Every structure is written in structure tokens, then in C-alpha cells.
Amino acid sequence: MTKADAIVIGAGQGGKPLALSLAKLGWKVVYIERKWLGGTCINTGCTPTKTMVMSAQVAHYARDAARWGVRASGVSVDMPAVIQRKRDIVMKYRTGNEKKVETAGPNLQFVHAHATFVGPHQVEAGGEIFESEKIFIDTGTRPAPPRIPGSDSVGYLTNESLMELHEIPEHLIVLGGGYIGLEFGQMFRRFGSRVTVIHRSGQILGQEDDDVAVALQNALEAEGIEFQLNANSKKVEKHNGEIILTVETSAGSQTFRGSHLLAATGRVPNTDDLGVDKAGITLDSRGYIKVNGRLETSIPGIWALGDVKGGPAFTHISYNDYQIVYGNLIEGKTLTTVNRYVPYSLFTDPQLGRVGMTEKEARASGRKLKIGTYPMSSVSRAIERGETTGFMKIIIDAERDRILGASMLGVEGGETVQILGAMILADAPYTVLKGAVFIHPTLVEGLFGLLEAVKPV
Ligand SMILES: Cc1cc2nc3c(=O)[nH]c(=O)nc-3n(C[C@H](O)[C@H](O)[C@H](O)COP(=O)(O)OP(=O)(O)OC[C@H]3O[C@@H](n4cnc5c(N)ncnc54)[C@H](O)[C@@H]3O)c2cc1C
């Protein structure tokens, strides 16, 4: 039995900085990861997808080059080269993480093995038992298998296997019109696949406002992506190498035939093989670890960080979980996840940058509101770039003139929205930006038009 000051399980975006920071303070830390350092984001999530999104963007620009008065003929996508570029960037990040662990000094003991609780404060990994008063769980999630009869025998792709596919699917059927499904759908459409997105409800990106979701769907349809909404998948079969998906819609039963199937229907937490029952840690009905605002689990001395605790599943949130735990434990702060600021972006083209409340959330809150919308087709920089799809929307608390939320659906929307996020963080009235000086010509200049358009509702 090895005793430690802290055990960190999982090398994701919360676990890594925590393990390294505690070891730097002189704590004896056991850091356990069963697969790759860096977790989902670096290895199979943000980094590889955004790397490949860029390859797809370039293919799109090249095919569309005539729009900018440029002749480019014979454009084709070299998938092995796209994948190699992705692997190179992933490996650069992963080996960077490995270097940090190797050079962390004797306080950090890295164990490359699957960890399971064998008692409330005891963990088994690699045939050894480790014990600590303080244990931090950052085990993340994995793709949820599609619950469609036949999917196991037919076989399906996930975010991980799709990014290792060396051929361009002739017809990719994407199950799920959420963030992951839409980013991959557009990526592979631009690589040259026919793409059909099958979505259970009547609106893609169910949590977003319907005007935003509809505008994005229109933009994706304009590129030739097909959508079947309100579709309940009933079964999937394979005949002569062809995948046949049967769905139930309001118009009756329909079949979709494709060459490849991507499951992007959600994620499940990595808690089923963690032995949480041995520790007495409480899970919610979907298997996520229950925590309070300080990220403490039901067992004193055990915390959970990142996706495994449910809620917003983003890298920057997992990292912020680390900041909260570290701040409270080491710096005597009283940080909490309650009412935390959660910005995010969907990396389609146009991008969707989001901060704060959606319009529907703001309306449901019962506040008096002011709302402004402004088309990207009126933003000079977007016109000059030839990328005018989408619109900006801002929602304001009419009594305090504070920004409640914003959606920037447009080129670089994930960048421009962060100005409005900074206003939320500063608790400053939106009118400050009305008199601001913005660099010309930038996309942010569009805020002039957006703020002028703000009206009481
Ligand atoms: C396709 C895709 C694209 C994404 N794009 C973005 C994006 O653009 N921006 C963004 O902010 N977020 C994005 N995300 C989400 C982001 O990747 C996650 O929110 C983030 O990685 C979560 O980090 P984490 O620390 O919670 O856990 P993870 O990064 O998932 O790390 C958990 C680690 O724990 C390990 N582990 C699990 N169980 C055990 C065990 N029992 N013993 C030992 N080790 C274990 C796993 O191997 C893994 O390495 C994307 C996700 C996907 C799937």
C-alpha cells in the first residue's frame, strides 16, 4: 500500500494541472491515467477536430475560390495527409504533456493504468493499492453507443475512429444534430462526402434559440448537407456493404442508405468501471458524479472535476474546475460553480459563439428585456471577406442595462462574442460599448450596428 497526499484519477484538462500544481507545492501525488495524457480534448476531441475542421475549411475555400476571383482547379482532399497533419499536432500536444509529467520531479508518481476504488480512500491501479485522504476524479466521458437495434452488428464510427478513417465516406449518415454531429457533418461534406444528419427532435442544437438553429441549418443545407429532423431511429442493417437505417417520422417510416454511420448521440460518464460503489460516491440517474458547488462529492475528501460530474462539457470548464478546487483548497478562496460564466463555441462555418443566456432562457426568467439582432451581411469586414452568413444577437436586462447573453452566428463568432463576455464578467452596462472605438475594419465593428438595433421587447 502506497500512501500519498493526493490521488488524481484521469489526465484530462482538470486533472493534469491539479496533479502538477500539487506536486509543485511538495505534495506527494499519485497521478493515474489509463490511456493518453491530455485526455479527450487533446487526443480525440477539441485538438484533432479543430485541426481537421481547418483542412475542411481550406478544401471549401479552394473549391469556392472563384468567389474571390481566384482560379483553382483539380481540388482534391488527400485524407492520409489530413490525418497525418492531425496526428502530428495531437502528438505535439501529447508529448508536451508527457514531458511535463516526466520533469515534474519525485513528488509526482505517474501510474499508467486503469484505476478503481477499492475503498473510500483507496484506489487500485496497475496491481498496486494507493491510499490518500484527498482523491480527485477527472475521468471524463466516452461516446454513448447508439441505442438502435442492429448498430452493434452493423458497426458505427465515433469521434475517435472517424478521425482515423483514411477514405472519404461516400455517404456519411450522422446520428445526432448536436455540436459533435454538426462539426463532423460539415467537415466530411467539405471533404467530399454526401452527408445526412438524423436528429431526434424538431430542432438541431436543441438548447439554442430556434432562430439561431434554423439559420445554421439553412447554412449547412446550402452546402448540400441533408437533414431529417423528428426522426426516431428504429433499426439499422447492412446489405451488400450498404448501411440501411430505418427511422420513424411524422410522415411514417423512412429508410436512409449510406456507406458509413457516425454515432454522435451523446456521451456517457466513465464511472461504470471506477468502483464508485466501493467508495460510496453518489451518482445521478445517468451515472454522473454528484457534486456541490465546490466540486465535493458525497464522500468528504473526494472531489470530481470536468465532464464526469455532468453539466457543461467543455475543456475550459474542466480547467475552471481545477481553478476552483485549487483556489479553495490551497489559496483559501471560496470559489463555486454556482452561476459560473460558461462561454462556448460551435466550430462550424459560420461559427456559433455563445455567452450567457439564450433568448428563450432570458424570456423564461421573467425579466424585462431589450434585444438586438444584426445580420452579418451588414458587417463591413464580413462583406470584404465574402463571408456574410449568420447574425448577431444580444439580450439585455432592461432594468440594469446589463448583457444577459449573446449569440454570434457568423465568421469567427467564437472570437467576437468574447467581447460581450468580458462585459458580463465586468458587470458593465452594454452602453459602454456604444461609445467605444473599435479597430476598422474588424468583425467586432459589427457591434455598432448590433447595439443600435437594441430595442425593448
Ligand atoms: C469530438 C469532440 C470535440 C470537442 N470539441 C471541443 C471544443 O472545441 N472545445 C471544448 O471546450 N470542448 C470540446 N470538447 C469537449 C472536451 O473535449 C471535454 O469537455 C474535455 O476534454 C473534458 O475534460 P475532462 O478533464 O473532463 O476529461 P477527459 O479529457 O475526458 O479526460 C479523462 C481521462 O480520464 C481517463 N480515465 C477514465 N477512466 C479512468 C480510470 N478508471 N482510470 C484511469 N484513467 C481513466 C481517460 O482515459 C481520459 O484520459 C469536445 C469533445 C469531443 C468528443
Side-chain angles (χ1 to χ4, degrees), residues 138-219:
D138 176 37
T139 50
T141 59
R142 61 180 188 274
R147 278 174 295 169
I148 309 172
S151 56
D152 282 342
S153 51
V154 164
Y156 55 88
L157 295 157
T158 63
N159 58 299
E160 190 172 337
S161 49
L162 182 57
M163 288 191 284
E164 280 296 315
L165 198 67
H166 278 68
E167 78 255 19
I168 298 171
E170 188 203 321
H171 183 180
L172 178 66
I173 298 177
V174 178
L175 297 173
Y179 296 89
I180 294 176
L182 296 180
E183 285 185 9
F184 278 122
Q186 187 178 41
M187 182 196 296
F188 276 85
R189 178 69 191 144
R190 289 177 165 194
F191 287 151
S193 300
R194 181 177 167 196
V195 172
T196 304
V197 177
I198 308 289
H199 191 61
R200 191 187 287 261
S201 77
Q203 181 193 307
I204 58 167
L205 300 177
Q207 70 279 32
E208 303 299 340
D209 288 332
D210 54 0
D211 52 352
V212 170
V214 167
L216 179 61
Q217 186 178 332
N218 289 341

Side-chain angles (χ1 to χ4, degrees), residues 122-144:
Q122 290 177 343
V123 171
E124 189 277 327
E128 251 190 280
I129 308 276
F130 301 94
E131 188 178 79
S132 180
E133 283 305 304
K134 294 187 175 55
I135 301 182
F136 305 91
I137 305 169
D138 176 37
T139 50
T141 59
R142 61 180 188 274

Side-chain angles (χ1 to χ4, degrees), residues 8-16 32-50 111 113-116 124-125 137-143 159-160 163 179-180 183-184 267 270-271 273-275 305-309 312-319 321 343-347:
V8 178
I9 309 173
Q13 299 304 306
K16 179 194 78 177
I32 311 170
E33 167 57 51
R34 67 180 173 194
K35 205 167 181 188
W36 294 313
L37 284 173
T40 305
C41 177
I42 286 179
N43 295 291
T44 57
C46 333
T47 304
T49 52
K50 270 77 251 185
V111 183
H114 176 85
T116 39
E124 189 277 327
I137 305 169
D138 176 37
T139 50
T141 59
R142 61 180 188 274
N159 58 299
E160 190 172 337
M163 288 191 284
Y179 296 89
I180 294 176
E183 285 185 9
F184 278 122
R267 312 267 306 169
N270 291 324
T271 51
D273 52 1
L274 190 59
L305 300 81
D307 291 4
V308 73
K309 67 178 197 313
F314 301 107
T315 285
H316 42 281
I317 292 305
S318 181
Y319 186 78
D321 286 353
Y344 57 91
S345 181
L346 166 65
F347 293 88

